[in-house]
Amino acid sequence: MSSTTRMPAAEVPEAEKAALLMNGELLDPVEVMWHNRPVLFGMFALGREAEKWNELDSDLKSFAAMAADALVGCSWCLDLGYFQAHNAGLDVAKASEVPRWRESAVFTAVERDVMEYSEAMSVTPPQVTDDLFARLLEQLGAPAMVELTAWIAFANMSARSNIAMGISSQGFSNDCPVPLAQPSAGGATPE
């Protein structure tokens, strides 16, 4: 494992490893969650199903998840999310700026609304306003709004699980041509 976690890694049998590698590395969450394979495979299954959802623009989905990850502090999720955005051919110049989206000038109004919504959903208690929800509903439509909300909820489940288990970045985003921005000093706070 590339990081120190709160729970020791489980031994993943060699026969299983090949299907679980990314960039030649076994994902740290897999090694930790291997202790309870039904939970691991259940989360994987939900993630695979969520990736099939297609009502919401891929860039917006990426920005929403990364904004939640940055807010709650999941360096592993942010690292992997940025790496996946790069590999999917999404707008990496923008994706690299998500951790400091409030200060960055590269985002459109709808992208800013999506990231604000993601943060508002991700704080405790959630701080989603009627105005923000209505603006996004008008801009995206009902099917995409349902997808956005569920996507952010899934990102929070994954991020908070990783944080609780002490899983941190594996450095996947180091392979991207544009460095991932660091979160703003003081962290993000919903407006």
Side-chain angles (χ1 to χ4, degrees), residues 1 27-34 40 76 162 165 167 170:
M1 292 181 66
L27 301 176
D28 288 351
V30 170
E31 288 186 283
V32 170
M33 294 181 74
W34 195 261
L40 171 67
W76 191 90
N162 287 338
M165 290 188 277
I167 297 168
Q170 281 186 254

Side-chain angles (χ1 to χ4, degrees), residues 12 16 19 26 28 41 47 51 55 65 73 80 92 111 136 145 154 157 165 168 172 183 186:
V12 179
E16 305 283 342
L26 192 57
D28 288 351
F41 294 139
E51 288 175 5
E55 293 294 331
L80 183 66
V92 186
E111 291 165 344
L136 278 167
M145 192 64 192
F154 178 72
M157 178 184 71
M165 290 188 277
S168 60
F172 293 116

Side-chain angles (χ1 to χ4, degrees), residues 16-78:
E16 305 283 342
K17 283 185 181 177
L20 302 169
L21 297 178
M22 178 171 291
N23 268 17
E25 283 187 66
L26 192 57
L27 301 176
D28 288 351
V30 170
E31 288 186 283
V32 170
M33 294 181 74
W34 195 261
H35 291 286
N36 188 326
R37 286 181 292 289
V39 171
L40 171 67
F41 294 139
M43 288 181 75
F44 269 3
L46 180 56
R48 279 192 304 275
E49 286 301 311
E51 288 175 5
K52 294 177 189 175
W53 302 340
N54 63 2
E55 293 294 331
L56 184 63
D57 173 82
S58 296
D59 280 321
L60 294 179
K61 285 172 81 165
S62 179
F63 300 162
M66 289 177 65
D69 298 337
L71 180 80
V72 300
C74 184
S75 64
W76 191 90
C77 301
L78 194 57

